[in-house]
Amino acid sequence: MTAKNLNLMLGGTLVLLFLAAAAIGAVWTPYNPLGINLSGKLLPPGAEHWLGTDEFGRDVLSRLMAAAGTSVVISLLTVSLSISAGVVLGLISGYARGAVDRSIMTLNDALLAFPSMLMALALLSITGANMYGIILALGLAYTPAVVRIVRGAVLSLREREFIEASRVMGNSGVYTMARHILPNCLAPIIVFATTMFGSVLLTESALSFLGLGVPPPAPTWGNMLASARPHMAQAVWLGIFPGLCISLALLGINLFGDAIRDRFDPRMRGI
């Protein structure tokens, strides 16, 4: 088995498990992830609670499943927002050139100077810590990178013969971009989207760990890690299982992203 196939198989399996946990957790969990039972707090993993309970007696497995759904929703909506905005701006910038290109890229380069986490923190201070505020903040923070990737792809295509033929035929710029340029930009967009999904998942977990994510009692892997800190000496499982979920999800996404890159990048096909 080649390394490419191994990445695809292992990464695809982990991603499917992650998505399955999110889908099942959205409709069913073994226990109420928000249900408090103080008489059963800090129980170790066992037959009744497979992954133990937290400081409020809530089932850890149920909360991990519910948190997976939250992570998927935030990551998918954030990636969709960033890709949509970045593709539109990148197409306009690369195709129009001139003053339009300079204006868009000047603003884009200024935004790229800020780390995505720092920009997300700044935007969250305005929108507040809630799911839609996180999606908006992270979506805007990752958009500049998409703009630069799409613009670069458009610049390499803009002077090709088939684009010139479309202009000669009298097709509008919008039609040419949508019909001829955008389909040829899909490969780098898809590869970057898979990479961005993992980055958004990690950033959302970090924000939740800092108390700037989805507010409690709604579970996220990040705020479960944060809640585990005072109890690590007596209930180590509270930190181990959310950390494993984040690590395995990121591993699966990265391996799957590598396989997607190998599939779409011509430079990788002979390796």
Side-chain angles (χ1 to χ4, degrees), residues 11-35:
T13 300
L14 290 173
V15 169
L16 284 177
L17 289 174
F18 171 47
L19 295 178
I24 296 172
V27 296
W28 175 85
T29 53
Y31 296 87
N32 181 357
L34 304 181

Side-chain angles (χ1 to χ4, degrees), residues 34-234:
L34 304 181
I36 294 177
N37 179 19
L38 295 179
S39 63
K41 64 180 182 179
L42 298 180
L43 292 177
E48 186 175 358
H49 298 279
W50 289 2
L51 302 184
T53 61
D54 65 7
E55 69 274 20
F56 296 108
R58 299 173 297 194
D59 183 64
V60 172
L61 175 60
S62 299
R63 289 179 63 77
L64 289 174
M65 293 172 65
T70 302
S71 296
V72 168
V73 170
I74 291 176
S75 298
L76 282 178
L77 292 180
T78 298
V79 170
S80 299
L81 175 60
S82 295
I83 294 295
S84 299
V87 165
V88 171
L89 292 173
L91 283 173
I92 294 173
S93 177
Y95 188 81
R97 303 289 293 274
V100 174
D101 182 34
R102 287 194 298 272
S103 300
I104 292 176
M105 292 313 297
T106 298
L107 176 60
N108 197 70
D109 290 342
L111 294 176
L112 278 173
F114 294 92
S116 57
M117 174 68 82
L118 183 60
M119 188 183 301
L121 289 172
L123 292 171
L124 279 173
S125 67
I126 300 173
T127 63
N130 57 76
M131 178 181 289
Y132 298 104
I134 294 171
I135 293 169
L136 179 61
L138 292 180
L140 294 177
Y142 282 94
T143 294
V146 182
V147 173
R148 179 163 287 279
I149 289 174
V150 174
R151 175 181 178 269
V154 173
L155 289 176
S156 67
L157 292 167
R158 190 177 184 276
E159 305 304 328
R160 299 282 292 274
E161 291 81 0
F162 64 94
I163 301 299
E164 186 63 31
S166 179
R167 295 195 196 100
V168 172
M169 292 172 62
N171 294 328
S172 66
V174 174
Y175 179 87
T176 300
M177 285 188 287
R179 180 66 179 84
H180 300 292
I181 294 180
L182 180 57
N184 288 281
C185 297
L186 288 181
I189 293 173
I190 291 172
V191 172
F192 186 72
T194 58
T195 304
M196 191 197 309
F197 191 95
S199 297
V200 171
L201 175 64
L202 182 60
T203 304
E204 182 273 327
S205 298
L207 290 173
S208 295
F209 183 82
L210 295 173
L212 297 171
V214 178
T220 67
W221 292 339
N223 67 25
M224 290 178 70
L225 274 176
S227 299
R229 285 182 298 174
H231 309 283
M232 289 299 291
Q234 55 182 322

Side-chain angles (χ1 to χ4, degrees), residues 3-8 11-12 190-191 194-195 250-265 268:
K4 295 179 183 179
N5 293 333
L6 182 62
N7 285 350
L8 181 61
I190 291 172
V191 172
T194 58
T195 304
L250 289 174
L251 176 62
I253 293 168
N254 288 335
L255 290 176
F256 188 71
D258 286 345
I260 294 295
R261 182 201 61 193
D262 295 343
R263 170 64 180 81
F264 285 105
D265 190 345
M268 303 297 296

